[in-house]
Amino acid sequence: MEEDYIKLIFGLKLKQIRTDKNLSLLGLSKLSGLSKSYLNEIENGKKYPKPDKIAILSEKLDVPYDQMVSLKLDKNLAPIGDLLQSKILKEIPLELFGIKESNLIDIVANAPAKVNAFISTIIEIAQNYNFSRESFYLASVRSFQEANNNYFENLEQSVLKFAEAYHIDLNETITSKDLEEVLVEEYGYTIEANELSKYEALGNLRSMFVPKTKTLLLANEIDEPQRTFIYAKELAYNFLKIEQRLYTFPWIKFDTFDQVLNNFYASYFAGALIIPSAKIISQLNHIFEKETFDASLFLKAIDGYNASPESFYQRLTNVIPKAFNIQNLFFLRFTHKANSKNFYLKKELHLSHQQSPHANETNEHYCRRWVSLKMLKDISRSKSDHVFDYQISNYKDDGVKYLVLSSATKDPFKENHYRNITIGLLINRQLQRKVNFLQDEIIETKNVGVTCERCAIKDCKDREVPAVFLEKKAKNKKMESIVSELTTKFS
């Protein structure tokens, strides 16, 4: 364990033993002959006593020496010990959030019981919702994105430097051939295009990198945009000199948080290379300045890049907050199987606060009035590879509206499976200043909720199940009212 953590655990144990024996710091000082300030530093994790001092404390507190130096904590402090011994605070780069690890240690040392209760609560929630280490790391990366409005100037500049170094014209469509040449000639890659498809057990694995021989293995099912994105990510790892990385796409396992974070950096670089900021900002300006929404112009913008609709929407979440100062938006990715009633929200991002259309892990039914779900139904019944729609979603309970743009596509790796990518922009004064077509009558406004179980819309023809949570809330409120009346009556 880290030395600081060992100090902290010893300090927590000493403080717990002292308080259990109803001793003040001054009382322990008089009992042991050790100064009050020295004991205070021990309890706050600043110092670790020498063996002779531990022996004195052991004798005066009537606690076995081995128990004093053991890293095991009593049940009421065990979660803190588990957290510290897991080294998770070391794996997450707290400095990215402007947090010093020493600050966290001080918080734990000064209020161990409260921190312990908090950690226990988090652990219980994680267990109930099957919240894995993977989920925790992904949530941390998502929080990092949100804290930075999902825009990273250093990566944008790195893309410009890369393009200049390898004479790549960002005004032209980037192809896999352009990037493959750099991978092979500059970084010594060997590319095996059909190797992964030989193994059925690999499922939808699209690529795998073997570092020892610099061999990139690809599945033959990938299309040109996917190949280009994979190449761009590999270039990012090399050009940015990233060592701790993941070796498969999608990734199967990871060892550290840095690998997950660096995967995000590489993906961001790839998106910025394939969909350059200057070009997409110019297109968005042209779309936003019109008095009516030109869907064909938006679709033309998507088709103008060698990228999937998902990559295009992801890129919107980078450039819109920065270029247009529109910082209240959400991004959602749903999956759906044909003829199924289930819709799965697999990815989400919220800037700059947690908006209403968020994931619900309690098997509730997402609002069927969302354009996202409607599109998944539409594409499963059509022969199209890509369908697009839009709406203004009015969340009456929250008093907010969003301009929502949405695309659905077939899943290239799973038959009869479909994906939906959606971006929602909060309609406020800033959006009204930047987007001229918000009053376009062709854009349908729909009253929506989050899930049927919590939706107050009474005349909804798309409702899957009753609003059971609201019904329960109304029942409890009525009971409270009657209890209040009875209290007044018999007082």
Side-chain angles (χ1 to χ4, degrees), residues 294-305:
D294 191 337
S296 64
L297 203 59
F298 187 79
L299 288 171
K300 184 178 179 182
I302 296 177
D303 294 337
Y305 299 95

Side-chain angles (χ1 to χ4, degrees), residues 178 261 273 438:
D178 298 328
L261 183 62
L273 176 61
L438 290 178

Side-chain angles (χ1 to χ4, degrees), residues 93-117:
L94 297 169
E95 67 276 3
L96 292 176
F97 301 93
I99 299 171
K100 291 184 178 180
E101 188 180 333
S102 58
N103 293 344
L104 287 183
I105 291 176
D106 286 341
I107 291 170
V108 173
N110 291 324
K114 292 180 180 179
V115 174
N116 175 72

Side-chain angles (χ1 to χ4, degrees), residues 183-324:
L183 279 175
V184 174
E185 298 296 331
E186 181 72 11
Y187 296 110
Y189 271 50
T190 299
I191 298 174
E192 297 289 344
N194 301 309
E195 184 66 23
L196 296 183
S197 301
K198 297 177 182 177
Y199 304 89
E200 185 178 349
L202 292 181
N204 67 341
L205 197 67
R206 301 171 205 177
S207 70
M208 172 182 166
F209 179 64
V210 183
K212 187 175 182 179
T213 58
K214 289 190 174 183
T215 303
L216 181 62
L217 308 177
L218 301 174
N220 58 15
E221 293 90 353
I222 62 173
D223 56 19
E224 169 61 13
Q226 289 171 334
R227 183 186 298 267
T228 305
F229 184 78
I230 291 168
Y231 287 174
K233 279 189 70 175
E234 291 298 324
L235 287 169
Y237 284 129
N238 286 276
F239 189 74
L240 299 175
K241 295 180 171 58
I242 293 173
E243 294 182 359
Q244 289 199 57
R245 56 161 294 178
L246 301 170
Y247 294 104
T248 61
F249 177 64
W251 46 283
I252 300 172
K253 60 170 290 187
F254 58 87
D255 297 312
T256 68
F257 176 76
D258 281 341
Q259 290 176 326
V260 181
L261 183 62
N262 288 336
N263 179 70
F264 163 70
Y265 286 150
S267 296
Y268 188 105
F269 181 99
L273 176 61
I274 298 168
I275 307 174
S277 61
K279 186 175 179 180
I280 192 173
I281 289 170
S282 174
Q283 291 171 322
L284 289 173
N285 271 318
H286 189 40
I287 294 169
F288 289 169
E289 68 186 10
K290 291 184 171 294
E291 296 293 332
T292 57
F293 179 60
D294 191 337
S296 64
L297 203 59
F298 187 79
L299 288 171
K300 184 178 179 182
I302 296 177
D303 294 337
Y305 299 95
N306 186 16
S308 66
E310 179 170 351
S311 294
F312 182 85
Y313 281 77
Q314 290 263 27
R315 193 67 176 127
L316 292 180
T317 68
N318 302 142
V319 300
I320 287 179
K322 178 67 175 179
F324 299 93

Side-chain angles (χ1 to χ4, degrees), residues 287-288 290-295 371 388-394 401-405 425 427 431 435-447:
I287 294 169
F288 289 169
K290 291 184 171 294
E291 296 293 332
T292 57
F293 179 60
D294 191 337
V371 67
F388 170 75
D389 204 351
Y390 49 92
Q391 72 179 42
I392 291 177
S393 291
N394 178 28
K401 294 181 179 180
Y402 292 91
L403 170 66
V404 180
L405 307 173
L425 309 176
I427 298 179
L431 192 72
V435 179
N436 291 331
F437 59 74
L438 290 178
Q439 300 302 320
D440 187 355
E441 293 182 357
I442 198 173
I443 305 177
E444 183 180 13
T445 297
K446 281 201 170 186
N447 293 328

